């Protein structure tokens, strides 16, 4: 069974029982929970985390106090979470690209597999290639032709070095054999703003964060980085349809706690997460934003993190990122 099929099966079984299991834990928070989001405000992670945090408050009886700590490819926020209180009162939400960070950076301030305990995968959303409509290309094939004819004329808004957006672009550049200038940002929000303003030509964004800009004509979608079209944007072709079948990547979010967090706290937080993701209003809201709910158990989340690390191990050396 492939990863997508596994997550679909888990969604059907785990979410159905989430409400009951939320009441089964023996641990309960005694004060507000610190929820670290290792990105600046306004990105796709906030779209998922903030409404989920409100449902968690209802189920746990304590608020989740959100702390946006962006920078250093999420390593600042992740290091803060690793050093947080390991008693159930510190959580962090991130995408699972962190699984391969130790292959990208020589001086990591934390070890994902040593310093964290996964609670659950939560949701995933496709990544989409989008351009400012002033660029004279209406399809990804047309843009690739432009970029090939004009090396380093066009620019890419990189929201975070080593992010799924960045590596999705690097795959695109390698497979399409194009050279572009990269502009570095500290999050998806600032990167998107500059593409919207026309200061940068192209970006790779989470689908949910840009659908409103597509509808308003402020950005033009070229392709989702997938082999299947997204139900949230059925008119947007895939990279496979545009002749680049190996350019595939997505944002897959999970919630983690510091490694020494007691098992009974993990059990309660996991059950509350499933119950929150089963909330019909939240599910509708996230679906509208381009997310697919993909819950898992803690053990399955740990296994999927290892699988994501192993998936990128043979790919990263060929990208020549030299991140230091």
């Amino acid at each position: 069974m492939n990863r997508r099929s596994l997550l679909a099966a888990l969604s059907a079984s785990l979410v159905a029982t989430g409400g009951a299991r939320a009441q089964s834990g023996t641990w309960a928070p005694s004060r507000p929970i610190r929820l670290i989001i290792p990105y600046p405000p306004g990105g796709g992670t906030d779209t998922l985390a903030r409404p989920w945090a409100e449902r968690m408050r209802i189920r746990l009886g304590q608020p989740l106090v959100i702390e946006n700590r962006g920078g250093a490819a999420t390593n600042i926020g992740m290091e803060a979470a690793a050093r947080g209180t390991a008693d159930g009162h510190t959580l962090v939400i991130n995408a699972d690209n962190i699984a391969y960070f130790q292959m990208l950076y020589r001086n990591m301030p934390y070890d994902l597999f040593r310093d964290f305990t996964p609670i659950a995968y939560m949701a995933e959303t496709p990544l989409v290639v989008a351009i400012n409509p002033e660029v004279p290309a209406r399809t990804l094939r047309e843009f690739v032709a432009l970029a090939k004819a004009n090396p380093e004329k066009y620019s890419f808004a990189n929201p975070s070095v080593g992010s799924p957006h960045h590596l999705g672009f690097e795959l695109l550049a390698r497979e399409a054999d194009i050279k572009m200038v990269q502009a570095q940002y500290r999050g998806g929000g600032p990167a998107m703003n500059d593409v919207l303003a026309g200061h940068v030509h192209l970006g790779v964004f989470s689908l949910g964060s840009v659908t409103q800009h597509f509808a308003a004509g402020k950005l033009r979608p070229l392709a989702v980085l997938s082999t299947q079209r997204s139900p949230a944007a059925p008119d947007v072709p895939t990279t496979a349809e545009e002749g680049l079948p190996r350019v595939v990547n997505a944002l897959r979010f999970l919630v983690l706690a510091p490694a020494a967090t007691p098992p009974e706290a993990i059990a309660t937080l996991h059950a509350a997460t499933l119950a929150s993701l089963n909330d019909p209003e939240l599910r509708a809201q996230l679906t509208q934003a381009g997310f697919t709910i993909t819950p898992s158990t803690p053990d399955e989340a740990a296994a999927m993190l290892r699988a994501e690390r192993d998936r990128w191990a043979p790919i990263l050396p060929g990208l020549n990122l030299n991140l230091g």
Side-chain angles (χ1 to χ4, degrees):
M1 181 180 291
N2 63 29
R3 189 176 189 281
R4 184 177 292 274
S5 299
L6 173 62
L7 288 174
L10 290 170
S11 178
S13 62
L14 293 175
V15 172
T17 60
R21 294 183 63 185
Q23 307 302 320
S24 64
T26 58
W27 175 90
S30 59
R31 61 184 187 275
I33 294 172
R34 181 190 187 198
L35 174 60
I36 296 173
I37 300 177
Y39 302 90
T45 314
D46 276 13
T47 304
L48 168 65
R50 291 181 181 275
W52 169 79
E54 176 58 23
R55 272 71 178 187
M56 291 288 283
R57 178 192 65 78
I58 295 170
R59 285 160 178 82
L60 295 172
Q62 291 286 349
L64 274 63
V65 179
I66 293 176
E67 182 179 329
N68 287 94
R69 298 198 65 174
T74 78
N75 287 332
I76 291 174
M78 291 298 292
E79 181 182 13
R83 295 180 176 180
T85 56
D87 59 0
H89 294 88
T90 299
L91 301 176
V92 61
I93 289 179
N94 208 343
D96 67 356
N97 63 298
I98 52 176
Y100 52 74
F101 270 19
Q102 285 181 268
M103 293 184 282
L104 289 180
Y105 300 99
R106 286 192 293 269
N107 299 308
M108 285 286 290
Y110 66 93
D111 183 315
L112 176 68
F113 297 94
R114 180 196 66 205
D115 296 334
F116 288 95
T117 295
I119 293 171
Y121 270 76
M122 301 171 67
E124 69 176 54
T125 185
L127 293 172
V128 60
V129 182
I131 58 173
N132 184 281
E134 295 298 318
V135 177
R138 304 202 67 83
T139 68
L140 183 57
R141 290 179 190 271
E142 290 180 3
F143 180 80
V144 167
L146 278 176
K148 281 186 173 182
N150 302 276
E152 299 188 345
K153 174 181 177 179
Y154 294 99
S155 52
F156 163 66
N158 184 352
S160 180
V161 174
S163 66
H165 317 71
H166 177 206
L167 293 193
F169 167 78
E170 294 288 355
L171 286 174
L172 169 63
R174 183 185 72 173
E175 294 297 315
D177 191 24
I178 58 176
K179 294 182 179 180
M180 295 175 60
V181 176
Q182 290 197 36
Q184 305 291 337
Y185 296 87
R186 294 188 61 180
M192 186 189 306
N193 288 339
D194 270 9
V195 179
L196 286 166
H199 303 313
V200 184
H201 298 104
L202 176 145
V204 175
F205 304 107
S206 63
L207 181 60
S209 69
V210 290
T211 50
Q212 73 273 24
H213 300 307
F214 295 158
K218 296 179 179 180
L219 290 176
R220 179 180 298 145
L222 296 183
V224 290
L225 278 64
S226 176
T227 57
Q228 297 180 343
R229 293 197 182 198
S230 170
D235 295 332
V236 180
T238 67
T239 44
E241 291 175 85
E242 292 292 300
L244 298 167
R246 289 187 289 187
V247 182
V248 175
N249 210 15
L251 275 172
R252 292 172 288 264
F253 293 97
L254 72 162
V255 57
L256 309 101
T261 301
E264 57 270 23
I266 296 295
T268 296
L269 292 165
H270 171 257
T273 294
L274 295 190
S276 297
L277 293 175
N278 198 35
D279 179 272
E281 184 179 352
L282 177 62
R283 292 176 69 84
Q285 182 178 349
L286 294 180
T287 299
Q288 180 67 28
F291 288 96
T292 299
I293 306 297
T294 56
S296 73
T297 68
D299 286 346
E300 288 155 347
M304 288 187 284
L305 277 175
R306 292 191 295 270
E308 184 67 2
R309 175 195 61 195
D310 296 344
R311 178 172 84 94
W312 283 96
I315 298 174
L316 292 176
L319 297 181
N320 298 315
L321 297 180
N322 299 318
L323 301 183

